[in-house]
Amino acid sequence: MSTPFATLPDDGTPLRVVVVGAGGMGRAWLRTVHESPLVELAGIVDLDLDAARAGAAAIGLPDLPVGTGTAQLASDFGAQAVINVTVPVAHHPVTTEALAAGLPVLGEKPVASTVVQGLSLAAASELTGQLFMVSQSRRYNRHLFEAKRLASALGTVGIMSAEFFKAPHFGGFRDAMDHPLLLDMAIHQFDMARFLLDEDPVSVFCEEYNPAWSWYRGDAGATAIFEMTGGERFVFTGSWCSPGQETSWNAAWRISGEHGTVLWDGDNEPLVDSIEVPLRADSDDPGQEIAGSLSDFVAALRNGSTPMGQVHQNIMSLAMVEAAMLSASTGTRISVDALLEESYSQAVLTERDPDVLEVLKSWTSVRGALAPAPR
């Protein structure tokens, strides 16, 4: 579904933004925003003002305005957009507040804590006419774009696999999560699979497990088999407690089709063994990770193009995660349409804003409302 949103004049001046969240990922965003000629940092929002001030000092701007209210700080200092880098549980309230204040939002993944909340935010974006884009930063990788280009020579793709094996000792909340790998990491690979195939999930069967030596309370390993809308199978297998011979954070990929195979180790140029290799497209460089995401967001606001991660399109990546977790907990194959319909019913029952509720009720089907818009 193509959802138009308000654009901003391209007058050659940087877009003024506030960053909400000054934790570890917030610091990375602050550095990226500070270094980008496309944007100007108007202020930092955090419930912990000392953290906000420390974030400002870390990028050499100790006098930067800080505050605890997103809409208020943006209004006081002339911000035109919000970058939401809060923890997932805060994604829905912070983004809702910004959209209602007439501010477009670029938010960290996941879109929200649940698909139910994601649907609410999609409806709020429609209601306000403001862009809400989710930063799936690992899409912004020229090697990923090259792998997709090479895969176009394979004809019909039968199976695509991603192997992810790392052994990070994070400490903190990840060590105590119920589904640390699926919920906190696999959404990247699930979203990348949707990009590589230009397809969405139909169903999934998933098993989770936790090796005896794992330092995570929840299951740190999983294998998921997705059926995609084009008939392909996407197989993800991985572990967050596998030391030695670790893969890229992007995973190691194999795309197998009727005319050949593409291999990508996640870090270097992909390789192809195919009957016919398409000519390289020099323009396929999306920028790198969050800097590329930021550039895509600004370009969309200037020219009205639909960015990768536009909220309606991105919800399906979170739906893959929720469906995989449900499959693992029930031991059954899960229909993604069934999950979407149940989430939609819950969204209608729990939505507190009557105007957002009316938008939700206007949708004739969930998958139709979330269908990709042309780029």
Side-chain angles (χ1 to χ4, degrees):
M1 180 174 114
S2 179
T3 304
F5 50 83
T7 57
L8 298 171
D10 189 1
D11 57 7
T13 62
L15 183 74
R16 286 180 60 79
V17 303
V18 293
V19 171
V20 187
M25 196 63 196
R27 293 287 188 95
W29 272 102
L30 288 171
R31 289 192 298 273
T32 299
V33 168
H34 183 53
E35 294 169 359
S36 173
L38 301 174
V39 291
E40 179 182 358
L41 185 58
I44 304 173
V45 176
D46 200 291
L47 295 178
D48 183 346
L49 289 178
D50 286 339
R53 294 186 187 102
I59 56 173
L61 298 174
D63 297 325
L64 192 72
V66 299
T68 57
T70 301
Q72 187 64 57
L73 191 74
S75 175
D76 289 346
F77 295 96
Q80 302 164 284
V82 167
I83 300 176
N84 183 359
V85 202
T86 56
V87 294
V89 70
H91 286 187
H92 183 270
V94 170
T95 298
T96 297
E97 177 188 350
L99 293 173
L103 296 164
V105 178
L106 173 59
E108 259 296 329
K109 63 84 186 169
V111 55
S113 292
T114 64
V115 172
V116 171
Q117 292 182 350
L119 295 174
S120 171
L121 290 176
S125 176
E126 287 185 34
L127 174 68
T128 60
Q130 298 298 326
L131 172 64
F132 173 32
M133 170 185 163
V134 182
S135 174
Q136 292 282 174
S137 59
R138 293 190 182 275
R139 279 201 187 197
Y140 295 88
N141 183 310
R142 67 179 182 85
H143 297 316
L144 179 70
F145 271 64
E146 177 66 359
K148 180 174 183 174
R149 185 188 73 83
L150 293 174
S152 68
L154 303 183
T156 301
V157 171
I159 187 169
M160 180 170 69
S161 66
E163 295 186 341
F164 178 89
F165 293 96
K166 302 288 284 186
H169 287 264
F170 293 112
F173 73 93
R174 291 182 180 88
D175 286 6
M177 289 175 65
D178 290 333
H179 309 271
L181 180 70
L182 285 178
L183 192 57
D184 197 58
M185 184 66 213
I187 190 170
H188 282 299
Q189 283 73 43
F190 293 177
D191 182 75
M192 292 161 78
R194 293 179 58 224
F195 171 75
L196 285 166
L197 293 173
D198 276 329
E199 304 288 356
D200 279 328
V202 172
S203 64
V204 61
F205 183 81
C206 179
E207 290 187 347
E208 284 186 296
Y209 54 91
N210 209 27
W213 65 87
S214 172
W215 49 93
Y216 296 88
R217 185 185 67 79
D219 290 334
T223 296
I225 304 172
F226 288 92
E227 178 187 354
M228 306 299 283
T229 47
E232 311 91 343
R233 296 303 187 270
F234 166 55
V235 181
F236 169 87
T237 187
S239 166
W240 249 359
C241 55
S242 291
Q245 297 297 314
E246 295 182 17
T247 65
S248 163
W249 281 99
N250 291 317
W253 295 79
R254 174 184 287 266
I255 309 170
S256 179
E258 61 180 322
H259 299 312
T261 295
V262 172
L263 297 177
W264 181 41
D265 67 4
D267 289 328
N268 301 295
E269 290 283 347
L271 305 173
V272 63
D273 180 1
S274 176
I275 295 172
E276 181 179 349
V277 179
L279 295 175
R280 180 182 295 273
D282 294 333
S283 61
D284 284 349
D285 186 351
Q288 187 66 20
E289 298 186 349
I290 62 174
S293 182
L294 179 62
S295 177
D296 203 8
F297 178 67
V298 174
L301 289 175
R302 296 302 194 197
N303 62 33
S305 60
T306 301
M308 292 194 295
Q310 190 264 353
V311 58
H312 293 72
Q313 299 180 30
N314 183 258
I315 288 172
M316 202 65 77
S317 295
L318 181 57
M320 291 176 78
V321 174
E322 283 198 12
M325 292 191 300
L326 183 59
S327 175
S329 64
T330 61
T332 61
R333 183 178 300 278
I334 297 299
S335 161
V336 174
D337 275 338
L339 181 141
L340 289 173
E341 289 300 331
E342 175 61 25
S343 296
Y344 175 74
S345 296
Q346 289 298 313
V348 169
L349 285 173
T350 58
E351 181 56 54
R352 297 180 179 180
D353 186 316
D355 295 325
V356 173
L357 178 59
E358 286 305 307
V359 174
L360 284 168
K361 288 182 174 180
S362 73
W363 293 354
T364 56
S365 77
V366 185
R367 196 176 278 268
L370 304 182
R375 279 180 61 80

